[in-house]
Amino acid sequence: VSGVVRNVGGNDADGYEIECLIDGEPLTTISVSKAVAVNQSDTFNITVPTTEIGKHLLSMEIGKVNGSQDAYEANNVATMQVTVRDPRFIKRVVCEEFTGTWCGWCPRGLVGLELMKEEYPGQFIPISVHGGQNDPLEISADKAYTYAPFINAQSGAPICNINRKSKGDPYYDIRNLFNMETAPESHIAYNMSAEWNADSTNITVRSIIMSDVDMRAAKYNIAFTVTEDMVTGYDQVNYYAGGDNGEMYGWEKKTNPTKDFYYNDLARGIFSHYDGDVCIDGDMQAYREYEHEGSFECPGEVADKKNIHVIGQLIDPASGFIVNAFSVAPGATGST
C-alpha cells in the first residue's frame, strides 16, 4: 500500500513514523528517515500481510515527527478498504491467438505469449490457433473439434482475443488486455483434473465449479481445448529476419522462413465444439461445489501426447465470454 505525507507545518522534518492498523488492531509501524521540507511531500510504502478473506479497514496514522508525537492529530490519519480475495476465485485468462505459418509478423505473437506465461504462470492461459492460406497446422473445418468459428471471425493476423471479450495485438496490447480482465473480482471458481484412459486414447475431464454468491437460473457452458507444446519442423515466415524491422527477441537473427524454433500452446482441437456444452442450468448456491464430467478422444493431430495440456473454459452462453478457466496436463490431477 502506498501513501503520501505532506509537511504543512512551519519547520522542516527530518523523519516520521507511520502506524498501521487493520480493523482497529495494530499491524506494523514504519520509520522513515528522510528530510521533508515545509510544503513538500514524501511517498511511503507499507506491505500488508495476508489476513482472513473478506473486506478490512486499513488505517495509517502519523505517530511521530522528528522523534516526537505529532502535534496536529486532525490531519494525520488516512483510511482505505482492503479486500483479501479467496484464492479459489482467482481469475484465469484465456488468450486465443490467431496466427499462421504464412504470417511474417506472427513471430511477435509467439514472443508475446511466452513473455506473458513467464510473467503470469498459471493465470495466463494461451491457445495458439493456426488458420488461413492452407496453413498445415490448421485443424480441418470438417472436424467436429475445429476452431473454424474462431478463425472465420478474425480479420487478420497476428491478433489475440482475451476471454473472447477483448481483441488486440498479441505483443503490443496483450498485457493491458490481461490487466483489464483481471482487475474486477471473480465470483466464479473453477478447478479441474484430466486423466487418460488405460490405452491413452481418451481423456476424461472432471470439473468443479463454484460461485461465491447465490445465483438464480445460472447458465454456463463448458469447452475443452487440447494444446501441444514443442511442435517443430514447419516453415514460419519471418519479417523480422535481418533486423530491418527491429529486434524481436532473437527472431531478427533467424532466417526467412525459418524452422529454428518450437511452436508451443498449439491448438489441436476444442471439444465438443467452440461454443461448449451445457454444464450449469439452474440455481447455484453460494460456496456449493457443482461437478461436471466430460470425455473425448485425443485428436489425431497430436504428435506427442507427453506434450499436451487440456484447457477447460467456462463460458457464459448469453455473452459468449469466458468467465474462468483452468489448464492441466492429463494425469497431473489438480495442478495448473
Side-chain angles (χ1 to χ4, degrees):
V1 177
S2 297
V4 176
V5 296
R6 184 172 179 84
N7 184 357
V8 296
N11 303 299
D12 293 345
D14 296 324
Y16 58 91
E17 286 185 357
I18 297 287
E19 298 173 359
C20 184
L21 297 86
I22 192 158
D23 297 331
E25 297 295 326
L27 183 65
T28 188
T29 299
I30 64 167
S31 296
V32 180
S33 299
K34 185 186 294 185
V36 184
V38 174
N39 290 326
Q40 298 299 306
S41 299
D42 185 41
T43 301
F44 65 89
N45 296 289
I46 293 177
T47 299
V48 181
T50 301
T51 183
E52 65 183 49
I53 295 167
K55 298 183 184 300
H56 304 274
L57 182 65
L58 181 67
S59 175
M60 290 159 286
E61 180 177 352
I62 299 174
K64 294 181 178 180
V65 178
N66 292 339
S68 301
Q69 199 68 27
D70 183 22
Y72 301 95
E73 297 182 355
N75 63 353
N76 68 354
V77 178
T79 60
M80 65 179 296
Q81 182 175 274
V82 175
T83 300
V84 180
R85 297 181 179 178
D86 187 330
R88 294 175 296 178
F89 289 85
I90 183 174
K91 181 67 169 289
R92 299 182 190 88
V93 172
V94 172
C95 173
E96 292 171 309
E97 180 218 15
F98 177 54
T99 184
T101 58
W102 48 269
C103 171
W105 299 113
C106 286
R108 73 169 178 260
L110 292 165
V111 170
L113 267 56
E114 292 295 334
L115 292 175
M116 290 295 290
K117 284 195 299 181
E118 291 177 9
E119 189 169 350
Y120 303 100
Q123 191 175 8
F124 178 81
I125 303 176
I127 300 173
S128 186
V129 182
H130 277 250
Q133 301 191 25
N134 298 315
D135 194 307
L137 293 174
E138 181 176 355
I139 306 164
S140 176
D142 61 9
K143 301 287 182 65
Y145 51 80
T146 181
Y147 255 94
F150 171 77
I151 294 170
N152 295 338
Q154 309 311 314
S155 57
I159 194 168
C160 68
N161 199 334
I162 299 294
N163 277 349
R164 304 188 182 179
K165 184 184 296 185
S166 306
K167 287 187 178 184
D169 188 277
Y171 180 80
Y172 296 108
D173 303 326
I174 195 167
R175 186 168 280 97
N176 287 336
L177 294 174
F178 174 87
N179 291 337
M180 288 171 55
E181 189 62 12
T182 55
E185 292 185 26
S186 171
H187 296 285
I188 297 292
Y190 180 44
N191 200 315
M192 62 174 273
S193 64
E195 299 289 340
W196 289 105
N197 64 348
D199 58 1
S200 297
T201 56
N202 279 55
I203 301 171
T204 297
V205 183
R206 296 178 178 87
S207 300
I208 297 177
I209 304 156
M210 183 168 57
S211 170
D212 65 353
V213 294
D214 292 332
M215 299 180 66
R216 295 291 303 273
K219 293 182 182 293
Y220 291 106
N221 290 358
I222 198 165
F224 303 105
T225 296
V226 174
T227 62
E228 185 176 3
D229 293 337
M230 304 297 288
V231 178
T232 191
Y234 295 88
D235 284 341
Q236 174 66 51
V237 179
N238 175 24
Y239 290 165
Y240 293 95
D244 292 340
N245 291 305
E247 297 181 356
M248 186 49 66
Y249 288 82
W251 279 86
E252 68 277 6
K253 299 176 183 178
K254 299 182 184 295
T255 60
N256 181 26
T258 183
K259 287 187 175 73
D260 181 26
F261 72 102
Y262 292 95
Y263 290 106
N264 291 323
D265 312 300
L266 177 63
R268 293 303 203 180
I270 185 165
F271 298 88
S272 63
H273 53 87
Y274 186 70
D275 294 327
D277 302 298
V278 176
C279 64
I280 298 284
D281 188 2
D283 296 345
M284 294 182 69
Q285 297 177 14
Y287 293 99
R288 174 185 167 184
E289 293 183 348
Y290 293 83
E291 298 184 1
H292 176 273
E293 182 173 305
S295 182
F296 53 85
E297 184 178 354
C298 182
E301 289 83 354
V302 170
D304 190 338
K305 294 177 181 178
K306 297 190 299 295
N307 293 332
I308 73 167
H309 276 77
V310 178
I311 299 164
Q313 298 131 87
L314 197 62
I315 302 167
D316 176 359
S319 64
F321 300 156
I322 296 172
V323 297
N324 218 330
F326 203 91
S327 176
V328 68
T333 305
S335 64
T336 56

